[in-house]
Amino acid sequence: MKILSIRENPKYKEVAIHYFQQRWKSVWPIIYEDCITHCIHARNDLPQWYLLEKEETIIGGAGLITNDFISRGDLYPWLSALFIDEKERGNAYGVVLMNKAKQDAKKFGYDYLYLCTQHIGYYEKYGFEYIGQGYHPWQEASRIYQIQLK
């Protein structure tokens, strides 16, 4: 199992763009292309994008970003676009990416990591706590979670 930081491994940029565009088809494709392309030479620590590789196959990915299109702009950074391929689910591979995002967020000086989701029960297993609702520009609400980085 290997986590690939796109910033540290820019040769994976196109792979990452394609991976996220295919997994999150409801998101305008240019969003991932623009964000991932510009993370490589960003002036700040954020954004970060990660791919999870198992036996030379990409099986998952996630982002660590400043805003996940949610009304709570006072909260950041956000774990975003966490995805594990369906055939690989049930092996706790998602927590590998969560831990990388937590580790980097802490290294960058943040005390908390946030995420927004419709899922109930998954993130709580890994220490995230529900803190309230947030609202997206496309007129949907999402649950907001946080975890303290110790």
Side-chain angles (χ1 to χ4, degrees):
M1 195 70 50
K2 184 174 168 184
I3 297 174
L4 302 166
S5 161
I6 303 309
R7 188 176 291 196
E8 295 170 7
N9 299 279
K11 68 182 182 182
Y12 285 92
K13 177 186 89 167
E14 295 300 325
V15 172
I17 291 167
H18 180 75
Y19 185 84
F20 287 103
Q21 287 175 337
Q22 293 303 304
R23 278 25 177 223
W24 297 104
K25 292 184 179 189
S26 65
V27 176
W28 192 23
I30 194 72
I31 298 287
Y32 289 117
E33 181 178 343
D34 195 47
C35 189
I36 292 168
T37 296
H38 289 96
C39 87
I40 294 169
H41 299 291
R43 294 181 200 155
N44 301 310
D45 294 321
L46 300 176
Q48 297 282 334
W49 289 92
Y50 314 106
L51 293 173
L52 186 61
E53 184 182 69
K54 177 184 173 189
E55 299 170 3
E56 299 184 23
T57 300
I58 303 301
I59 64 162
L64 179 62
I65 62 176
T66 58
N67 188 305
D68 204 4
F69 300 103
I70 193 94
S71 57
R72 292 297 305 273
D74 59 312
L75 306 176
Y76 59 90
W78 295 83
L79 173 65
S80 177
L82 177 65
F83 194 91
I84 299 297
D85 290 345
E86 286 187 36
K87 66 182 182 221
E88 299 293 343
R89 292 181 186 166
N91 297 303
Y93 293 146
V95 77
V96 174
L97 288 164
M98 283 184 239
N99 286 341
K100 174 62 172 165
K102 286 168 39 181
Q103 174 188 5
D104 281 355
K106 183 177 179 182
K107 178 175 74 175
F108 301 149
Y110 297 101
D111 295 326
Y112 290 88
L113 177 63
Y114 302 91
L115 64 86
C116 58
T117 186
Q118 303 293 355
H119 295 291
I120 299 172
Y122 178 71
Y123 294 100
E124 293 91 334
K125 291 189 300 188
Y126 301 107
F128 283 87
E129 64 180 88
Y130 173 72
I131 61 169
Q133 288 289 107
Y135 304 94
H136 299 286
W138 51 88
Q139 299 180 357
E140 289 182 10
S142 286
R143 297 172 62 85
I144 297 176
Y145 290 84
Q146 72 177 12
I147 191 164
Q148 187 171 11
L149 305 172
K150 300 174 181 159

